[in-house]
Amino acid sequence: MDDSLPIVNPHQVPQAPADSGPAHEAPVEIRVYGAPRAPVPQRLPVAPRTRGCASGAGIGSGMQAGFRRLPEWLKVKLPGAGEYAGTKALLRSQRLVTVCEEARCPNLGHCWERGTATIMILGDLCTRRCGFCAVAPGKPNGYVDWDEPRRVGEAVAAMGLRHTVITSVARDDLADGGSTIFARVIQEIKHRSDTVIEVLIPDFRGHRADLERVIEARPHVINHNLETVERLHPVVRPSARYARSLELLQRVEQSGTGIKTKSGLMLGLGETHDEVRQALTDLVAHGCDLLTIGQYLRPSPQHLPVVEYVHPDRFAYWGAEAEALGFESVASGPLVRSSFHADELAGTVRPGESSKAAS
């Protein structure tokens, strides 16, 4: 029995000017899972996410409660220099959400000072409750902002970036997983800019048609994070599947489009040396080109505790090991995140070059 219903969300769909581009199209009919309700997002309270999924999977993983004092190598300066203010003002004027803020990224100041930011589409409420993620959980209830692709395209053009990263919350309430908006955002950016487009996507619950919709929009890089080793998946990513994430990367690699594949791992959650090596081997075997490895940092007492602050020397070791295994490019360090210097990792710019396009 189909538990979804069709919905066309009329919110925020202004009359489009004649030159607004291919992405500014009328809303389409997207099925929404669950009982019929008004498409009004509903934020949920943040319950403790330290014990795995509701079934109890992941309990006994070796994680201990409590906070650990940050070592010196994880301390960052306060933001405010360079292009920080301009980046913030532009994002606010376009009413755009960034994963930099929602996920409490420690590199926010550094990246915004460079004039770059990772835009998060499809709202600020995630339908999943991963044990590591600071993005607020909630029920979007099928709400879709059909004007968002235009605003994203305008913001990217105004920022003048040579490399752009777009990500999203998980939208398991939508039958298409949000892939239609992903495709429209890519189209709108292409209409307004020559930037290299990287998208960091959810797993779309393994639905092939949703992934193909994004592939057909032809971004230059498709990123999907494995996040952790196979044993810890039930507690770290209870709504995801290790094998499903690997399969997604393999489908992109086998699409024949030339789209680069990218993934990322967090360390410090209790993984073993052999488990990390196996994850790297699995990623290479499934066609992953680019890799980030960073330290897990606990966003709040409601999230999974940090088991270990991994020393920078060990990050250097894993970076060298990953390159030896066959990754095209690797960024490995305590403060590395999925989008950190993504332009350099993908080869869009050389280290030290400006991320801004020449005016």
Side-chain angles (χ1 to χ4, degrees):
M1 179 177 179
D2 190 355
D3 62 348
S4 62
L5 64 152
I7 183 169
V8 176
N9 191 317
H11 292 264
Q12 298 188 34
V13 187
Q15 293 297 316
D19 62 347
S20 60
H24 200 106
E25 302 167 359
V28 298
E29 189 175 273
I30 298 176
R31 291 182 299 134
V32 177
Y33 291 117
R37 57 175 60 88
V40 178
Q42 176 188 1
R43 186 176 293 264
L44 296 177
V46 180
R49 286 173 277 184
T50 60
R51 300 287 288 177
C53 61
S55 67
I59 294 175
S61 61
M63 299 182 180
Q64 302 297 321
F67 274 94
R68 294 170 176 264
R69 185 179 298 275
L70 285 177
E72 286 299 320
W73 63 79
L74 284 171
K75 295 179 180 179
V76 297
K77 68 175 184 176
L78 293 175
E83 299 189 44
Y84 176 88
T87 303
K88 182 175 181 179
L90 174 61
L91 294 168
R92 294 291 182 273
S93 69
Q94 293 286 8
R95 308 190 315 280
L96 296 176
V97 178
T98 69
V99 74
C100 320
E101 297 168 287
E102 299 302 317
R104 305 178 191 177
C105 179
N107 300 314
L108 183 151
H110 172 78
C111 293
W112 285 26
E113 287 170 10
R114 295 178 74 225
T116 66
T118 298
I119 296 172
M120 190 168 75
I121 62 174
L122 288 160
D124 60 357
L125 298 181
C126 188
T127 54
R128 299 186 182 183
R129 294 192 177 206
C130 295
F132 67 92
C133 185
V135 175
K139 296 180 179 180
N141 294 329
Y143 178 82
V144 177
D145 180 355
W146 293 100
D147 186 48
E148 187 174 52
R150 176 190 63 81
R151 300 199 311 276
V152 172
E154 289 181 355
V156 168
M159 292 170 79
L161 300 178
R162 297 166 66 182
H163 190 105
T164 298
V165 183
I166 305 295
T167 189
S168 78
V169 292
R171 289 296 302 269
D172 294 335
D173 59 317
L174 300 175
D176 77 334
S179 58
T180 299
I181 289 292
F182 257 111
R184 290 194 177 189
V185 166
I186 294 166
Q187 292 165 6
E188 185 65 36
I189 293 173
K190 287 185 174 183
H191 176 68
R192 299 174 181 274
S193 172
D194 292 328
T195 186
V196 171
I197 302 171
E198 176 177 327
V199 291
L200 172 55
I201 62 173
D203 61 15
F204 299 125
R205 303 176 303 261
H207 294 175
R208 185 184 296 268
D210 299 338
L211 176 60
E212 289 179 349
R213 189 173 291 114
V214 176
I215 292 173
E216 288 169 2
R218 295 295 192 275
H220 302 86
V221 180
I222 289 182
N223 184 359
H224 175 70
N225 286 331
L226 193 60
E227 302 291 10
T228 191
V229 300
E230 186 171 14
R231 175 178 60 88
L232 295 179
H233 251 70
V235 63
V236 177
R237 303 177 71 203
S239 297
R241 300 291 182 272
Y242 185 85
R244 181 196 294 170
S245 291
L246 291 173
E247 183 182 11
L248 182 152
L249 294 166
Q250 188 172 54
R251 286 180 179 176
V252 176
E253 191 272 335
Q254 294 177 345
S255 66
T257 59
I259 297 173
K260 289 187 180 297
T261 53
K262 180 178 177 181
S263 193
L265 290 173
M266 298 179 294
L267 301 185
L269 284 162
E271 64 287 333
T272 68
H273 180 96
D274 288 345
E275 287 173 334
V276 175
R277 180 177 293 278
Q278 185 61 57
L280 297 179
T281 301
D282 290 341
L283 284 167
V284 169
H286 286 79
C288 186
D289 299 311
L290 313 175
L291 177 71
T292 59
I293 309 175
Q295 169 72 51
Y296 166 63
L297 296 176
R298 191 183 194 186
S300 80
Q302 283 71 46
H303 292 80
L304 295 171
V306 175
V307 175
E308 177 188 11
Y309 288 125
V310 179
H311 193 275
D313 289 348
R314 190 136 37 113
F315 278 104
Y317 167 83
W318 282 122
E321 287 294 299
E323 290 180 352
L325 284 170
F327 288 96
E328 180 181 313
S329 187
V330 179
S332 181
L335 290 172
V336 168
R337 295 295 182 268
S338 295
S339 305
F340 184 65
H341 287 219
D343 48 3
E344 293 180 10
L345 188 66
T348 307
V349 304
R350 289 188 287 268
E353 282 188 341
S354 173
S355 59
K356 296 283 191 176
S359 56

